[in-house]
Short mmCIF file of all heavy atoms in Angstrom, two decimals:
data_model
loop_
_atom_site.label_atom_id
_atom_site.label_comp_id
_atom_site.label_asym_id
_atom_site.label_seq_id
_atom_site.Cartn_x
_atom_site.Cartn_y
_atom_site.Cartn_z
N PRO B 1162 -20.07 -2.36 -177.20
CA PRO B 1162 -18.97 -3.00 -177.93
C PRO B 1162 -17.78 -3.27 -177.00
O PRO B 1162 -17.45 -2.45 -176.16
CB PRO B 1162 -18.63 -1.98 -179.00
CG PRO B 1162 -19.00 -0.67 -178.40
CD PRO B 1162 -20.21 -0.93 -177.53
N THR B 1163 -17.17 -4.47 -177.13
CA THR B 1163 -16.07 -4.87 -176.26
C THR B 1163 -14.78 -4.17 -176.66
O THR B 1163 -14.66 -3.59 -177.75
CB THR B 1163 -15.88 -6.39 -176.33
OG1 THR B 1163 -15.59 -6.77 -177.67
CG2 THR B 1163 -17.13 -7.12 -175.85
N HIS B 1164 -13.83 -4.22 -175.76
CA HIS B 1164 -12.51 -3.62 -175.90
C HIS B 1164 -12.58 -2.12 -176.11
O HIS B 1164 -11.73 -1.51 -176.76
CB HIS B 1164 -11.73 -4.27 -177.05
CG HIS B 1164 -11.57 -5.77 -176.89
ND1 HIS B 1164 -10.79 -6.33 -175.92
CD2 HIS B 1164 -12.15 -6.81 -177.57
CE1 HIS B 1164 -10.86 -7.65 -176.00
NE2 HIS B 1164 -11.70 -7.97 -177.00
N THR B 1165 -13.62 -1.55 -175.54
CA THR B 1165 -13.76 -0.11 -175.51
C THR B 1165 -14.62 0.25 -174.30
O THR B 1165 -15.42 -0.56 -173.83
CB THR B 1165 -14.42 0.44 -176.79
OG1 THR B 1165 -14.57 1.86 -176.67
CG2 THR B 1165 -15.77 -0.19 -177.03
N PHE B 1166 -14.45 1.45 -173.81
CA PHE B 1166 -15.23 1.86 -172.65
C PHE B 1166 -16.57 2.48 -173.04
O PHE B 1166 -17.30 2.96 -172.17
CB PHE B 1166 -14.43 2.85 -171.80
CG PHE B 1166 -13.26 2.23 -171.09
CD1 PHE B 1166 -11.98 2.41 -171.57
CD2 PHE B 1166 -13.47 1.44 -169.98
CE1 PHE B 1166 -10.90 1.82 -170.89
CE2 PHE B 1166 -12.42 0.85 -169.33
CZ PHE B 1166 -11.12 1.02 -169.78
N THR B 1167 -16.90 2.42 -174.32
CA THR B 1167 -18.20 2.93 -174.77
C THR B 1167 -19.26 1.87 -174.54
O THR B 1167 -19.05 0.68 -174.82
CB THR B 1167 -18.14 3.29 -176.26
OG1 THR B 1167 -17.09 4.25 -176.47
CG2 THR B 1167 -19.47 3.86 -176.75
N ILE B 1168 -20.43 2.31 -174.06
CA ILE B 1168 -21.55 1.40 -173.81
C ILE B 1168 -22.70 1.81 -174.73
O ILE B 1168 -23.18 2.95 -174.66
CB ILE B 1168 -22.00 1.44 -172.35
CG1 ILE B 1168 -20.82 1.11 -171.41
CG2 ILE B 1168 -23.16 0.48 -172.10
CD1 ILE B 1168 -21.15 1.24 -169.95
N SER B 1169 -23.11 0.87 -175.59
CA SER B 1169 -24.16 1.19 -176.56
C SER B 1169 -25.55 0.97 -176.01
O SER B 1169 -26.49 1.68 -176.37
CB SER B 1169 -23.95 0.35 -177.83
OG SER B 1169 -24.00 -1.04 -177.52
N ASP B 1170 -25.73 -0.01 -175.13
CA ASP B 1170 -27.06 -0.36 -174.62
C ASP B 1170 -27.29 0.34 -173.27
O ASP B 1170 -26.53 0.13 -172.32
CB ASP B 1170 -27.17 -1.87 -174.47
CG ASP B 1170 -28.61 -2.31 -174.17
OD1 ASP B 1170 -29.47 -1.44 -173.91
OD2 ASP B 1170 -28.83 -3.55 -174.19
N PRO B 1171 -28.36 1.16 -173.15
CA PRO B 1171 -28.63 1.82 -171.86
C PRO B 1171 -28.86 0.84 -170.71
O PRO B 1171 -28.57 1.15 -169.55
CB PRO B 1171 -29.88 2.65 -172.15
CG PRO B 1171 -29.87 2.85 -173.63
CD PRO B 1171 -29.28 1.61 -174.21
N GLU B 1172 -29.41 -0.33 -171.01
CA GLU B 1172 -29.62 -1.30 -169.93
C GLU B 1172 -28.30 -1.73 -169.31
O GLU B 1172 -28.22 -1.99 -168.10
CB GLU B 1172 -30.37 -2.52 -170.47
CG GLU B 1172 -31.80 -2.23 -170.84
CD GLU B 1172 -32.55 -3.49 -171.27
OE1 GLU B 1172 -31.93 -4.58 -171.21
OE2 GLU B 1172 -33.73 -3.37 -171.63
N ASN B 1173 -27.26 -1.80 -170.13
CA ASN B 1173 -25.96 -2.17 -169.59
C ASN B 1173 -25.41 -1.09 -168.64
O ASN B 1173 -24.76 -1.38 -167.65
CB ASN B 1173 -24.97 -2.42 -170.72
CG ASN B 1173 -25.33 -3.66 -171.52
OD1 ASN B 1173 -26.06 -4.53 -171.02
ND2 ASN B 1173 -24.84 -3.75 -172.76
N ILE B 1174 -25.73 0.16 -169.00
CA ILE B 1174 -25.30 1.26 -168.10
C ILE B 1174 -25.99 1.12 -166.75
O ILE B 1174 -25.36 1.23 -165.68
CB ILE B 1174 -25.63 2.62 -168.75
CG1 ILE B 1174 -24.86 2.81 -170.05
CG2 ILE B 1174 -25.32 3.75 -167.77
CD1 ILE B 1174 -25.20 4.08 -170.79
N LEU B 1175 -27.31 0.85 -166.79
CA LEU B 1175 -28.05 0.68 -165.53
C LEU B 1175 -27.53 -0.52 -164.75
O LEU B 1175 -27.36 -0.48 -163.53
CB LEU B 1175 -29.53 0.52 -165.84
CG LEU B 1175 -30.45 0.29 -164.61
CD1 LEU B 1175 -30.35 1.49 -163.67
CD2 LEU B 1175 -31.90 0.07 -165.06
N GLY B 1176 -27.23 -1.61 -165.43
CA GLY B 1176 -26.74 -2.81 -164.75
C GLY B 1176 -25.41 -2.58 -164.07
O GLY B 1176 -25.19 -3.01 -162.93
N LEU B 1177 -24.50 -1.88 -164.77
CA LEU B 1177 -23.21 -1.59 -164.15
C LEU B 1177 -23.35 -0.67 -162.94
O LEU B 1177 -22.66 -0.81 -161.93
CB LEU B 1177 -22.26 -0.98 -165.18
CG LEU B 1177 -21.76 -1.92 -166.29
CD1 LEU B 1177 -20.94 -1.15 -167.33
CD2 LEU B 1177 -20.95 -3.06 -165.69
N ALA B 1178 -24.28 0.32 -163.06
CA ALA B 1178 -24.50 1.22 -161.93
C ALA B 1178 -25.06 0.48 -160.73
O ALA B 1178 -24.65 0.69 -159.58
CB ALA B 1178 -25.44 2.36 -162.36
N VAL B 1179 -26.02 -0.40 -160.99
CA VAL B 1179 -26.57 -1.21 -159.89
C VAL B 1179 -25.48 -2.09 -159.29
O VAL B 1179 -25.40 -2.30 -158.08
CB VAL B 1179 -27.76 -2.04 -160.39
CG1 VAL B 1179 -28.20 -3.03 -159.33
CG2 VAL B 1179 -28.92 -1.13 -160.79
N PHE B 1180 -24.64 -2.66 -160.16
CA PHE B 1180 -23.55 -3.51 -159.68
C PHE B 1180 -22.66 -2.75 -158.69
O PHE B 1180 -22.34 -3.24 -157.61
CB PHE B 1180 -22.73 -4.01 -160.87
CG PHE B 1180 -21.45 -4.68 -160.48
CD1 PHE B 1180 -21.45 -6.01 -160.10
CD2 PHE B 1180 -20.25 -3.99 -160.48
CE1 PHE B 1180 -20.28 -6.64 -159.73
CE2 PHE B 1180 -19.07 -4.61 -160.12
CZ PHE B 1180 -19.08 -5.94 -159.73
N VAL B 1181 -22.25 -1.53 -159.08
CA VAL B 1181 -21.39 -0.73 -158.18
C VAL B 1181 -22.12 -0.39 -156.88
O VAL B 1181 -21.56 -0.48 -155.79
CB VAL B 1181 -20.91 0.54 -158.90
CG1 VAL B 1181 -20.15 1.44 -157.95
CG2 VAL B 1181 -20.04 0.19 -160.10
N GLY B 1182 -23.39 -0.01 -156.98
CA GLY B 1182 -24.15 0.33 -155.78
C GLY B 1182 -24.30 -0.84 -154.84
O GLY B 1182 -24.15 -0.70 -153.61
N VAL B 1183 -24.64 -2.02 -155.41
CA VAL B 1183 -24.78 -3.21 -154.56
C VAL B 1183 -23.47 -3.56 -153.89
O VAL B 1183 -23.40 -3.89 -152.69
CB VAL B 1183 -25.32 -4.39 -155.39
CG1 VAL B 1183 -25.25 -5.68 -154.59
CG2 VAL B 1183 -26.75 -4.12 -155.82
N GLY B 1184 -22.37 -3.50 -154.64
CA GLY B 1184 -21.06 -3.83 -154.07
C GLY B 1184 -20.70 -2.92 -152.92
O GLY B 1184 -20.25 -3.36 -151.85
N ILE B 1185 -20.91 -1.59 -153.14
CA ILE B 1185 -20.58 -0.64 -152.06
C ILE B 1185 -21.51 -0.82 -150.87
O ILE B 1185 -21.09 -0.74 -149.70
CB ILE B 1185 -20.65 0.80 -152.61
CG1 ILE B 1185 -19.55 1.00 -153.66
CG2 ILE B 1185 -20.51 1.80 -151.48
CD1 ILE B 1185 -19.60 2.36 -154.33
N SER B 1186 -22.79 -1.09 -151.11
CA SER B 1186 -23.75 -1.29 -150.00
C SER B 1186 -23.37 -2.50 -149.16
O SER B 1186 -23.37 -2.46 -147.93
CB SER B 1186 -25.16 -1.45 -150.56
OG SER B 1186 -25.55 -0.30 -151.28
N VAL B 1187 -23.05 -3.61 -149.83
CA VAL B 1187 -22.66 -4.82 -149.10
C VAL B 1187 -21.40 -4.56 -148.27
O VAL B 1187 -21.29 -4.96 -147.11
CB VAL B 1187 -22.46 -5.99 -150.08
CG1 VAL B 1187 -21.81 -7.18 -149.38
CG2 VAL B 1187 -23.77 -6.40 -150.69
N ALA B 1188 -20.42 -3.87 -148.87
CA ALA B 1188 -19.19 -3.56 -148.14
C ALA B 1188 -19.47 -2.70 -146.90
O ALA B 1188 -18.91 -2.92 -145.83
CB ALA B 1188 -18.20 -2.84 -149.06
N SER B 1189 -20.38 -1.73 -147.03
CA SER B 1189 -20.71 -0.86 -145.90
C SER B 1189 -21.38 -1.64 -144.77
O SER B 1189 -21.09 -1.45 -143.59
CB SER B 1189 -21.61 0.28 -146.36
OG SER B 1189 -20.96 1.05 -147.35
N VAL B 1190 -22.32 -2.53 -145.18
CA VAL B 1190 -23.01 -3.32 -144.16
C VAL B 1190 -22.03 -4.22 -143.42
O VAL B 1190 -22.07 -4.34 -142.18
CB VAL B 1190 -24.14 -4.15 -144.82
CG1 VAL B 1190 -24.70 -5.16 -143.82
CG2 VAL B 1190 -25.24 -3.23 -145.32
N VAL B 1191 -21.14 -4.87 -144.17
CA VAL B 1191 -20.16 -5.75 -143.52
C VAL B 1191 -19.25 -4.97 -142.59
O VAL B 1191 -18.96 -5.38 -141.47
CB VAL B 1191 -19.35 -6.51 -144.60
CG1 VAL B 1191 -18.19 -7.26 -143.96
CG2 VAL B 1191 -20.25 -7.46 -145.35
#
Side-chain angles (χ1 to χ4, degrees):
T1163 59
H1164 302 292
T1165 178
F1166 290 103
T1167 303
I1168 303 175
S1169 60
D1170 190 350
E1172 291 185 3
N1173 292 339
I1174 298 176
L1175 178 61
L1177 290 175
V1179 171
F1180 170 82
V1181 174
V1183 170
I1185 295 176
S1186 300
V1187 170
S1189 300
V1190 170
V1191 171

